[in-house]
């Protein structure tokens, strides 16, 4: 029975993955894009870890074509989002400074806020200078992308091939069947409306995860090796809350189609479980930073989404919600911020398959728009 249902075995990671003779390590798009969101010291630590894996005989690192394509398409916008986040901090600091100065004027030196303003005032210029040093200046040389050259070097010759137009058409047809029947992975992306191309072949963004999944399966078949996907986002169509790990259905499908084992881990958990085989380990500071950023990326979104619907007080397309949050937020947006917003609405809408069965806050209309339930 175990051979038919390997994904449901409780100690699958310990007995199958960690006991493999060699493991293909794949990094997803979020892992690479998040390198633009950490401070330089953290980035260098992660890059050194990747380089170390290349020299480790137990591991073979590889990048699916879909991951490489998404990374190249999104890295510029991710890079610019960081500059926008710093500008937002500058604007908020300026507003805070004005409030302190304005309130302290009332009552003059007898104001209760005057001592606070006097004490803080000595540090205002210093804080402003620190913030400005992280902003791009008009007369300064264009800010250099310090990540891209390292990524190109690490994965030189280690990127998979793209699919043909015929294979893409087959994937789209199969993807539609899987989405309609809630078969992972990728069904959370069924409302994506972006298309792009590579070498004259159309790529529909909503099938991105299924394209990736197909490329992982092809790689495991070709190399006859265990494969571990290192991810920066534990999406429900990949990660099971019930089992607190990768979805059993994915392990089953992978094993029965390739004869090989599959697992998915966050970067901190990859280090935790494979520590005995690693030649180089991430620092405690790096590990904590990754965990904290992930927690921050996945909290507070429901309040943001609700505020958008309350502001407009009418049905909204998802694109309208995305744009409003993008324009107004002071968040350091994660690479998958639009996926998180969409997931937040789906998880609280009983009209879609991803509803979690708790708070039913949104109604999906026939037009495809969403509104608050009355």
């Amino acid at each position: 029975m175990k051979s038919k249902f390997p994904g449901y075995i409780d100690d699958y990671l310990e007995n199958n993955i960690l006991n493999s003779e060699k493991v293909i390590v794949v990094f997803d798009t979020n892992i690479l894009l998040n390198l633009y969101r950490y401070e330089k010291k953290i980035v260098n630590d992660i890059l050194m870890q990747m380089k170390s894996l290349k020299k480790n005989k137990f591991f073979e690192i590889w990048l699916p074509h879909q991951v490489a394509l998404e990374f190249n398409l999104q890295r510029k916008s991710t890079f610019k989002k960081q500059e926008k986040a710093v500008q937002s901090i500058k604007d908020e600091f300026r507003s805070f400074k004005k409030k302190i100065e304005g309130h302290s004027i009332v009552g003059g030196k007898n104001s209760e806020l005057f001592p606070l303003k006097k004490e803080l005032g000595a540090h205002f210029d210093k804080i402003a200078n620190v913030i400005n040093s992280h902003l791009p200046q008009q007369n300064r040389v264009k800010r250099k992308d310090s990540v891209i050259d390292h990524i190109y070097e690490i994965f030189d010759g280690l990127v998979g091939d793209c699919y043909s137009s015929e294979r893409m058409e087959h994937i789209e047809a199969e993807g539609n069947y899987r989405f309609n029947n809630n078969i992972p992975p990728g069904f959370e992306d069924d409302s994506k409306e972006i298309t792009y191309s590579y070498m004259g072949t159309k790529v529909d963004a909503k099938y991105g995860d299924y394209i990736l999944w197909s490329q992982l399966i092809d790689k495991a078949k070709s190399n006859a090796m265990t494969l571990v996907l290192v991810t920066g986002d534990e999406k429900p169509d990949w990660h099971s809350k019930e089992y607190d790990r990768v979805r059993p259905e994915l392990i089953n499908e992978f094993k029965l189609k390739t004869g090989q084992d599959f697992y998915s881990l966050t970067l901190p958990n990859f280090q935790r479980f494979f520590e005995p085989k690693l030649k180089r380990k991430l620092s405690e500071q790096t590990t904590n930073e990754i965990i904290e950023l992930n927690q921050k990326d996945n909290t507070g979104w429901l309040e943001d989404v609700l505020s958008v619907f309350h502001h407009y007080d009418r049905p909204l397309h998802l694109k309208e919600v995305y744009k409003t949050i993008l324009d107004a937020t002071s968040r350091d947006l994660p690479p998958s911020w639009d996926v998180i917003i969409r997931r937040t609405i789906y998880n609280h809408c009983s009209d879609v398959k991803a509803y979690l069965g708790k708070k039913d806050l949104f109604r999906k209309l026939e037009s495809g728009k969403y509104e608050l339930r009355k």
Side-chain angles (χ1 to χ4, degrees), residues 47 50-51 54 61 150-156 158:
L47 290 170
M50 291 179 176
K51 291 177 181 179
K54 284 183 71 174
I61 67 170
H150 290 286
I151 296 299
Y152 285 163
E153 176 194 348
I154 291 170
F155 294 101
D156 184 35
L158 299 173

Side-chain angles (χ1 to χ4, degrees), residues 33-229:
L33 291 176
N34 276 339
L35 292 171
Y36 291 102
R37 305 175 65 208
Y38 301 120
E39 61 176 282
K40 188 175 181 180
K41 183 178 179 181
I42 304 296
V43 172
N44 289 338
D45 196 19
I46 296 172
L47 290 170
M48 290 300 293
Q49 175 76 296
M50 291 179 176
K51 291 177 181 179
S52 174
L53 291 175
K54 284 183 71 174
K55 301 174 182 178
N56 191 322
K57 64 181 181 180
F58 182 75
F59 300 105
E60 178 181 309
I61 67 170
W62 179 71
L63 213 58
H65 189 272
Q66 184 64 21
V67 171
L69 178 59
E70 290 176 353
F71 170 70
N72 278 285
L73 288 171
Q74 297 178 42
R75 70 179 180 88
K76 286 288 187 182
S77 60
T78 304
F79 190 58
K80 288 178 180 177
K81 282 192 187 88
Q82 301 314 298
E83 294 182 350
K84 180 185 175 184
V86 178
Q87 182 62 53
S88 176
I89 291 172
K90 179 180 179 180
D91 294 341
E92 289 183 14
F93 174 68
R94 186 188 295 124
S95 175
F96 169 73
K97 182 181 176 183
K98 283 183 177 179
K99 283 182 180 179
I100 292 293
E101 290 174 343
H103 289 313
S104 65
I105 290 174
V106 180
K109 292 186 178 181
N110 294 322
S111 166
E112 293 182 3
L113 286 177
F114 185 80
L116 176 62
K117 181 224 172 184
K118 187 175 181 181
E119 188 172 347
L120 289 175
H123 303 285
F124 279 156
D125 289 342
K126 185 176 180 181
I127 295 172
N129 289 336
V130 170
I131 295 173
N132 287 331
S133 70
H134 289 271
L135 282 170
Q137 303 298 324
Q138 296 295 330
N139 59 350
R140 197 163 74 188
V141 178
K142 189 176 179 181
R143 188 178 165 205
K144 181 175 173 57
D145 182 343
S146 60
V147 171
I148 189 62
D149 289 340
H150 290 286
I151 296 299
Y152 285 163
E153 176 194 348
I154 291 170
F155 294 101
D156 184 35
L158 299 173
V159 178
D161 295 327
C162 64
Y163 283 150
S164 65
S165 296
E166 293 74 21
R167 181 70 189 275
M168 280 298 191
E169 288 177 5
H170 176 74
I171 281 178
E172 287 189 12
E174 197 167 306
N176 278 327
Y177 170 79
R178 295 174 74 105
F179 289 173
N180 290 335
N181 292 279
N182 225 27
I183 301 173
F187 58 73
E188 280 215 334
D189 297 331
D190 64 348
S191 65
K192 280 186 177 180
E193 299 176 354
I194 301 170
T195 58
Y196 39 89
S197 66
Y198 181 83
M199 294 288 288
T201 297
K202 185 193 77 170
V203 182
D204 194 326
K206 74 177 182 178
Y207 301 114
D209 275 8
Y210 184 55
I211 295 169
L212 167 62
W213 181 240
S214 299
Q215 291 174 349
L216 296 180
I217 287 174
D218 290 345
K219 180 66 174 177
K221 281 181 181 177
S222 172
N223 288 47
M225 288 167 55
T226 293
L227 189 146
V228 172
L229 175 65

Side-chain angles (χ1 to χ4, degrees), residues 19-20 30 55 75 86 107 137 148-149 160 174 179 181 183 233 249 297 306 308-310 315 322-323 327 330 347 358:
N19 284 331
S20 300
N30 282 330
K55 301 174 182 178
R75 70 179 180 88
V86 178
Q137 303 298 324
I148 189 62
D149 289 340
E174 197 167 306
F179 289 173
N181 292 279
I183 301 173
D233 181 25
E249 308 99 299
D297 285 347
L306 286 172
V308 173
F309 278 92
H310 285 305
Y322 299 156
K323 187 178 186 306
D327 292 341
S330 59
N347 289 349
K358 296 181 181 179

